[in-house]
Amino acid sequence: GIQVEQSPPDLILQEGANSTLRCNFSDSVNNLQWFHQNPWGQLINLFYIPSGTKQNGRLSATTVATERYSLLYISSSQTTDSGVYFCAVEETSGSRLTFGEGTQLTVNP
Amino acid sequence: DGGITQSPKYLFRKEGQNVTLSCEQNLNHDAMYWYRQDPGQGLRLIYYSQIVNDFQKGDIAEGYSVSREKKESFPLTVTSAQKNPTAFYLCASSYLAGVLTGELFFGEGSRLTVL
């Protein structure tokens, strides 16, 4: 099956700093999604981004499908951005998403 | 409000007992999914269903069973055959565009502890 690798595994920032999270995948995909899991375990869908660039407030994401990677940018980070960020991809055979192991982000005040 | 409801949030089970986790959605989504998450790890797919009365095994289906008798409901049974059932279980749903998966939405999860 497809392999999904996220980096870095852990990231510690001071409030106000910017960061870039990376997701590499081993094969062609139909779509890619980014999620944020808060400390209580709730997963929120941030972006549905099979290709191109999208922005939502301080967050933006870019997927370069031909080169098999996606980037999530967080600008002016806040303590509420802390948690685990996952990317998930759908193989071209369709039907299901495969998740990476996540990036644990800690934003300190 | 539209969403996905999982119950119970916390569950304790003795070894050898089966337990059923509930998942209900009112988003009118076709597809529903069950994932398992262990501490510090990503999500692994247990079972998924794209249509009523049909479902497929994911990567770690052994020791689990599901049913999809209604579009809104996708309960998961953790059987006594599951050797290490203590985990965080997440239910999700999405619309489908042909065979393509739409945005995935999650419930709040159920934490199962085997004593």
Side-chain angles (χ1 to χ4, degrees):
Chain A
I2 195 167
Q3 304 299 310
V4 182
E5 295 183 357
Q6 292 187 242
S7 60
D10 298 280
L11 186 59
I12 301 175
L13 302 173
Q14 287 300 121
E15 204 167 23
N18 302 329
S19 62
T20 301
L21 283 57
R22 187 176 180 102
C23 174
N24 292 335
F25 42 96
S26 60
D27 206 346
S28 300
V29 299
N30 284 336
N31 82 71
L32 184 145
Q33 301 184 36
W34 282 97
F35 299 86
H36 174 230
Q37 186 172 38
N38 68 22
W40 299 271
Q42 176 71 53
L43 275 143
I44 301 297
N45 194 306
L46 298 175
F47 293 103
Y48 178 101
I49 185 166
S51 63
T53 297
K54 289 187 177 180
Q55 182 152 8
N56 184 2
R58 295 181 296 102
L59 274 59
S60 65
T62 295
T63 297
V64 184
T66 53
E67 296 187 22
R68 300 180 183 170
Y69 73 89
S70 182
L71 302 174
L72 179 68
Y73 304 95
I74 304 174
S75 64
S76 303
S77 58
Q78 301 176 357
T79 56
T80 52
D81 294 331
S82 296
V84 184
Y85 290 81
F86 290 103
C87 73
V89 302
E90 181 181 30
E91 300 178 59
T92 52
S93 57
S95 304
R96 47 171 292 171
L97 291 179
T98 299
F99 281 74
E101 293 291 304
T103 292
Q104 174 77 56
L105 175 65
T106 303
V107 181
N108 293 320
Chain B
D1 286 352
I4 301 171
T5 302
Q6 289 188 238
S7 63
K9 282 189 170 52
Y10 299 92
L11 186 62
F12 297 88
R13 185 195 98 176
K14 292 183 180 179
E15 282 192 22
Q17 291 180 336
N18 293 353
V19 61
T20 297
L21 307 180
S22 170
C23 179
E24 304 276 334
Q25 55 101 358
N26 60 5
L27 300 168
N28 200 32
H29 284 167
D30 297 299
M32 297 186 74
Y33 311 82
W34 275 105
Y35 288 90
R36 169 181 171 140
Q37 187 178 30
D38 293 289
Q41 297 188 24
L43 279 67
R44 293 183 289 168
L45 184 63
I46 305 172
Y47 270 99
Y48 63 103
S49 168
Q50 295 182 307
I51 194 170
V52 174
N53 293 324
D54 190 39
F55 47 83
Q56 285 75 41
K57 293 181 179 180
D59 299 319
I60 55 166
E62 185 176 352
Y64 300 97
S65 66
V66 294
S67 63
R68 185 91 185 274
E69 297 177 2
K70 299 186 300 181
K71 186 176 183 179
E72 303 79 22
S73 179
F74 192 41
L76 173 75
T77 296
V78 184
T79 75
S80 56
Q82 169 49 233
K83 295 179 181 177
N84 186 17
T86 295
F88 187 45
Y89 291 89
L90 288 151
C91 178
S93 71
S94 72
Y95 64 85
L96 293 175
V99 296
L100 301 181
T101 303
E103 288 182 70
L104 204 62
F105 293 90
F106 282 88
E108 293 185 342
S110 294
R111 292 190 187 277
L112 172 63
T113 302
V114 174
L115 303 173

